[in-house]
Amino acid sequence: MNAYDEYMRGIVKPMREELVQTGFTELTTAEEVEGTMKSLQGTALVVINSVCGCAAGLARPAVREALNASNAKPDHLFTVFAGQDKEATAMMRDFFPEVPPSSPSIAIWKDGALASFIPREQIENSEMEQIKAHLTEELEQVCKK
């Protein structure tokens, strides 16, 4: 590992931990993503994490708040880290090829298919409360039991 990679690992560590501490399972290899997604039952919230400011100030806080606010909870919480775990992120994106690559972004998966997707464009130009409300509404629709 070169000095740049080591530096970036230190920088992104708290960004990774923020979602893991919320209950997300981090998928760091293409094999983990493929095995998880192919055998997935029920619903999943998938966050494509990023080092950008809109991930730190908008996406991750909105995801945490929406999970706290929603009465409908996904069965699973997963995250991949764009720009860091490139193969894992590419494999995750292969599961929803109908949407262009976007990070950060938030996907809701249900019964083997993409049910909802919030791309970067709907994150970076919004307030955290708007993203939280949008995601809460999507969770209520897709994940209700």
Side-chain angles (χ1 to χ4, degrees):
M1 180 174 302
N2 66 34
Y4 174 79
D5 289 336
E6 191 63 37
Y7 172 77
M8 287 307 295
R9 287 180 78 177
I11 294 292
V12 302
K13 189 173 191 293
M15 298 174 196
R16 292 177 180 277
E17 290 174 353
E18 189 172 352
L19 288 173
V20 171
Q21 290 170 354
T22 303
F24 281 79
T25 298
E26 191 171 40
L27 304 174
T28 60
T29 68
E31 295 78 20
E32 285 178 332
V33 171
E34 186 174 32
T36 297
M37 296 302 286
K38 283 189 172 180
S39 65
L40 192 62
Q41 299 288 317
T43 57
L45 179 62
V46 178
V47 175
I48 298 180
N49 202 352
S50 172
V51 297
C52 73
C54 64
L58 299 170
R60 291 191 303 266
V63 165
R64 280 193 327 269
E65 294 291 324
L67 286 170
N68 287 334
S70 178
N71 291 321
K73 306 290 188 220
D75 299 314
H76 309 279
L77 303 172
F78 298 113
T79 182
V80 294
F81 208 111
Q84 298 299 304
D85 301 322
K86 294 178 177 120
E87 294 83 11
T89 303
M91 178 61 69
M92 184 61 78
R93 287 176 172 151
D94 284 350
F95 281 91
F96 27 90
E98 64 273 24
V99 296
S102 177
S103 59
S105 57
I106 305 163
I108 302 177
W109 187 261
K110 182 176 183 177
D111 299 329
L114 183 65
S116 177
F117 191 81
I118 302 173
R120 177 187 176 106
E121 295 78 35
Q122 293 177 19
I123 294 170
E124 69 183 341
N125 297 318
S126 301
E127 298 293 322
M128 193 281 289
E129 286 296 323
Q130 291 173 303
I131 303 161
K132 171 193 166 189
H134 182 189
L135 180 55
T136 301
E137 182 178 308
E138 295 295 321
L139 289 169
E140 297 285 343
Q141 288 180 8
V142 176
C143 301
K144 62 185 173 199
K145 300 288 183 208

